[in-house]
Structures are given as structure tokens and as C-alpha cells.
Amino acid sequence: MSVSITPPRVFTRIISQVCQGFGRGSKELGCPTANLSEDAIAMLPDDMIQGVYYGWAKIEGDIPRKSVMSIGWNPFFKNKTRSAEVHVMHKFEDDFYGKEIRVVVLGRLRGEKDFDSLDALIEAINTDIRNAKNALSTPEYEAYLSDELFTDST
């Protein structure tokens, strides 16, 4: 299922250290993620309810890249704590735990939901990635590659 592309809206800008997560992204889902710190999650705006978002993310030492971000409780895995995980659409050679990640969140794909099977969850993740890639490939979204968050050296 594809979603209609809406004009970009800056939901938030995030700077966080990449933290160790549950270890499921790469192993079980085939989708490695950068987990945001608890402090960064606590500072998310109130209107960023649980769901899947997209935008641009920059890992320390790299360039901004397309990304999708899940915020919520991951009901399929029955998490006890709220998490925010960013999938940066690039194959990195090494882990980036402890590095800084900067994220500009520009759109929302869908709300958080539970799934009947791991395969259904993986299918939804792949659809989210395709939809985010399509939206972020438009000039309106590409303009955010030069966002102040990515050009600020502090």
C-alpha cells in the first residue's frame, strides 16, 4: 500500500547518541536501526504520537540519508518501554553505537500497530521504506538535505 505524498512538515529535529537496542533490527527484521537515547525520546514533541515517520538522518562522520523512524511500544514484541528507532537507508560497514545521530522528521506514514506474524511486520516495514523513499525523492523533501541541523558544526 502506498501513501499519498504530503508537503513536508518539520515534526522535530533530534540530536542523540546511538544506543544499544534490543538487537532485533538486523537479525530478525533485516532492517538495522539506530536507537535513540531515553533523553531524546523524552524530548519528542507531544504531537508525535506512536507510529512510523520519515525524514533525513545523519550519522556522525557521514552525510544525511533517507530514513524511517518507528516511535512507540512495538506491540508485536511487547516492549515494556517506549522506543524510537531510526532506519537509515544505507548499508554501513560498521556499527555506529555511541556515535551522534541527527534526524529531521518530515512526515508520518502510519500509526503504530500490532501484527499477526513476523512476516506481516517485515512486509509493513518494507512498504514503509518504499513509501519513505518515494516521498523523500521529491524536490520539496530534498531541500531539507541542507537543513541547519546538518550544516551546524556544534
Side-chain angles (χ1 to χ4, degrees):
M1 174 179 87
S2 65
V3 296
S4 61
I5 298 172
T6 58
R9 167 190 164 206
V10 177
F11 282 86
T12 192
R13 291 176 174 88
I14 303 164
I15 299 175
S16 176
Q17 183 177 31
V18 177
C19 299
Q20 189 82 36
F22 298 102
R24 299 187 286 244
S26 294
K27 293 176 185 75
E28 290 183 57
L29 303 173
C31 179
T33 59
N35 292 268
L36 302 184
S37 70
E38 289 181 17
D39 289 342
I41 294 167
M43 295 179 64
L44 292 173
D46 292 337
D47 66 344
M48 283 193 74
I49 57 174
Q50 276 65 263
V52 179
Y53 294 82
Y54 60 96
W56 296 98
K58 180 182 177 190
I59 300 289
E60 182 181 334
D62 195 34
I63 62 172
R65 298 187 186 273
K66 295 174 183 174
S67 66
V68 290
M69 179 171 73
S70 170
I71 299 173
W73 301 91
N74 298 323
F76 181 79
F77 293 106
K78 300 181 181 16
N79 286 9
K80 302 279 189 252
T81 58
R82 187 173 185 229
S83 66
E85 305 171 66
V86 180
H87 170 66
V88 182
M89 295 183 211
H90 177 72
K91 176 139 176 58
F92 292 91
E93 294 301 317
D94 299 312
D95 287 336
F96 36 79
Y97 295 121
K99 288 197 173 186
E100 181 183 86
I101 185 170
R102 293 176 175 228
V103 185
V104 177
V105 182
L106 299 170
R108 186 168 192 266
L109 291 168
R110 62 176 174 83
E112 180 176 57
K113 60 186 268 190
D114 199 354
F115 294 91
D116 296 333
S117 68
L118 186 62
D119 287 341
L121 172 58
I122 291 169
E123 183 178 333
I125 289 169
N126 289 330
T127 298
D128 294 337
I129 291 169
R130 277 193 308 276
N131 287 333
K133 278 183 183 177
N134 289 340
L136 293 165
S137 295
T138 64
E140 296 86 3
Y141 283 93
E142 288 177 339
Y144 285 89
L145 282 167
S146 59
D147 189 85
E148 64 192 32
L149 187 69
F150 303 133
T151 59
D152 181 16
S153 61
T154 60

